[in-house]
Amino acid sequence: DAGVIQSPRHEVTEMGQEVTLRCKPISGHNSLFWYRQTMMRGLELLIYFNNNVPIDDSGMPEDRFSAKMPNASFSTLKIQPSEPRDSAVYFCASSPSGSRADTQYFGPGTRLTVL
Amino acid sequence: DAKTTQPPSMDCAEGRAANLPCNHSTISGNEYVYWYRQIHSQGPQYIIHGLKNNETNEMASLIITEDRKSSTLILPHATLRDTAVYYCIVRPRSNDYKLSFGAGTTVTVRA
């Protein structure tokens, strides 16, 4: 099992640019989560999909952030335009049973730096 | 969610048991205690969870006090690969998908 795959692993961009983060969940998992981790705020849930449908996007910071899940094997998190305060590690996690905290499998993360 | 308090850091000798404390004095009856860890440059990893009984799995044991106001995660034979930040969180069992970690305890296992 390859686990959750995220790309790119590192991204450096300039303020104002569009950033797209990608995630491939574990095959057979029907739930997908995007998290953001910073030193100041710790780990925060941004959005939760179940069966490709967004269920909880209350953590999405503002309209600059958008997430899609066009099919069961792919999701994107887009930031447009990016700002320096968006610098963080972004994690994608998938789960075979979305509503339980003990079954989330995390990817290695994407470290985003916005200059 | 109930607030948890953990020591910021602790050291442990390789091969010895590591006992990680967590205080959660405001825990409510329907909240479970979860433990996760995060090894450097990796995503968080689920370890164990429990309600009121002690729990054990292949990774660790969880001891919850009778009044449920505190708990201890035990790594029975710590290895260098157990060096990580360990997070204790309390969450209700239903719709508990929203993980939120604070500072946790940085555990360093030394040879």
Side-chain angles (χ1 to χ4, degrees), chain B residues 33-88:
Chain B
V33 180
Y34 289 87
W35 283 84
Y36 280 76
R37 74 179 183 183
Q38 189 169 17
I39 296 170
H40 182 62
S41 296
Q42 296 184 23
Q45 178 188 25
Y46 163 79
I47 301 173
I48 198 168
H49 74 280
L51 181 64
K52 56 184 178 181
N53 297 320
N54 297 339
E55 302 287 344
T56 295
N57 63 22
E58 65 278 5
M59 291 183 67
S61 295
L62 175 60
I63 308 297
I64 302 174
T65 58
E66 191 169 344
D67 63 8
R68 303 207 324 122
K69 293 184 177 181
S70 66
S71 61
T72 301
L73 179 74
I74 301 173
L75 307 177
H77 305 287
T79 70
L80 298 179
R81 288 176 294 181
D82 291 321
T83 293
V85 181
Y86 287 77
Y87 300 98
C88 167

Side-chain angles (χ1 to χ4, degrees), chain A residues 9 33 35 37 41-45 48 55-56 58 91 98-104 106-108, chain B residues 34 36 38 40-46 49 87 89 91 93-102:
Chain A
R9 292 295 310 278
F33 308 81
Y35 288 88
Q37 188 173 38
R41 301 173 66 91
L43 188 77
E44 303 171 286
L45 177 67
Y48 157 43
I55 302 300
D56 181 355
S58 60
F91 289 103
S99 64
R100 289 175 51 177
D102 58 333
T103 57
Q104 292 185 30
F106 284 77
Chain B
Y34 289 87
Y36 280 76
Q38 189 169 17
H40 182 62
S41 296
Q42 296 184 23
Q45 178 188 25
Y46 163 79
H49 74 280
Y87 300 98
I89 61 174
R91 293 283 293 152
R93 189 72 170 123
S94 59
N95 287 324
D96 58 0
Y97 56 84
K98 189 179 292 188
L99 298 176
S100 178
F101 298 160

Side-chain angles (χ1 to χ4, degrees), chain A residues 48-98:
Chain A
Y48 157 43
F49 290 89
N50 191 52
N51 292 323
N52 311 337
V53 175
I55 302 300
D56 181 355
D57 65 355
S58 60
M60 294 288 268
E62 50 198 271
D63 291 345
R64 297 185 298 107
F65 285 69
S66 63
K68 294 182 179 180
M69 192 165 186
N71 57 63
S73 59
F74 184 66
S75 176
T76 60
L77 177 68
K78 186 176 294 186
I79 308 172
Q80 166 63 19
S82 58
E83 297 181 3
R85 60 192 169 119
D86 301 330
S87 296
V89 181
Y90 291 81
F91 289 103
C92 175
S94 71
S95 170
S97 55

